[in-house]
Amino acid sequence: MFTPSSHDVRRFFCEAWRKQRAGEVLTPMDAIAADWIVQHPEYHDALMDADEAVARDYSVEGGQPNPFLHLSMHLSIAEQVSIDQPRGIKAAHDLLVARIGKHDADHEIMECLGEMIWKSQRNGVPPDTEAYIECVRRRATR
């Protein structure tokens, strides 16, 4: 199993953005990342220099949103939906998309995903995927 470091993730997004801007051939994962980057112009400057991106501190105390975490969550949700894992995420996602649109739906799902991860880490237990799916379903029926 491949477990990229935060530096690897930052370099990946910077490289995908560089390839997109240069009109180079993108891998399928690069293409997905570049699509999300295009939808987040507020992150474009942060992705221009990979070395600077690796060195930058996006701690909570710094008060700046972490573009790499945000974009990684978009990729994670895209992968989850594409393989319906955890089971039920695709249907819950589709309901939410029908109600508020894809980008806004992904941001709503991010809230649920972040909450699931936070609770798992805080309590030292495996992620509760049932609660995660239920969180997304609740947002789809508001």
Side-chain angles (χ1 to χ4, degrees):
M1 175 186 255
F2 178 65
T3 307
S5 69
S6 64
H7 293 173
D8 295 333
V9 169
R10 290 177 183 204
R11 288 189 185 284
F12 162 76
F13 282 111
C14 290
E15 182 63 8
W17 184 230
R18 184 198 66 73
K19 288 179 184 178
Q20 170 77 11
R21 290 187 339 273
E24 294 180 14
V25 174
L26 301 172
T27 67
M29 188 61 77
D30 288 340
I32 295 168
D35 286 347
W36 283 115
I37 294 166
V38 166
Q39 294 182 54
H40 285 283
E42 69 273 23
Y43 298 152
H44 291 178
D45 288 345
L47 299 166
M48 296 300 280
D49 182 332
D51 291 333
E52 184 179 318
V54 166
R56 187 120 188 225
D57 177 28
Y58 288 102
S59 64
V60 173
E61 296 79 23
Q64 290 184 314
N66 183 332
F68 303 99
L69 174 59
H70 186 89
L71 293 167
S72 293
M73 290 181 82
H74 272 300
L75 285 183
S76 177
I77 292 164
E79 182 178 16
Q80 289 174 7
V81 170
S82 76
I83 62 172
D84 195 28
Q85 198 57 240
R87 187 173 312 279
I89 189 64
K90 182 174 181 358
H93 169 269
D94 291 350
L95 285 172
L96 193 52
V97 167
R99 190 171 77 72
I100 62 174
K102 179 152 179 40
H103 197 172
D104 289 340
D106 274 27
H107 284 189
E108 290 286 323
I109 293 169
M110 275 183 206
E111 295 292 325
C112 297
L113 179 60
E115 180 181 330
M116 177 188 68
I117 292 168
W118 178 77
K119 284 180 178 178
S120 171
Q121 291 175 340
R122 181 191 68 187
N123 298 327
V125 298
D128 184 347
T129 57
E130 290 301 318
Y132 169 51
I133 300 301
E134 187 53 37
C135 178
V136 177
R137 284 185 189 127
R138 277 193 312 273
R139 289 170 185 252
T141 58
R142 281 191 207 167

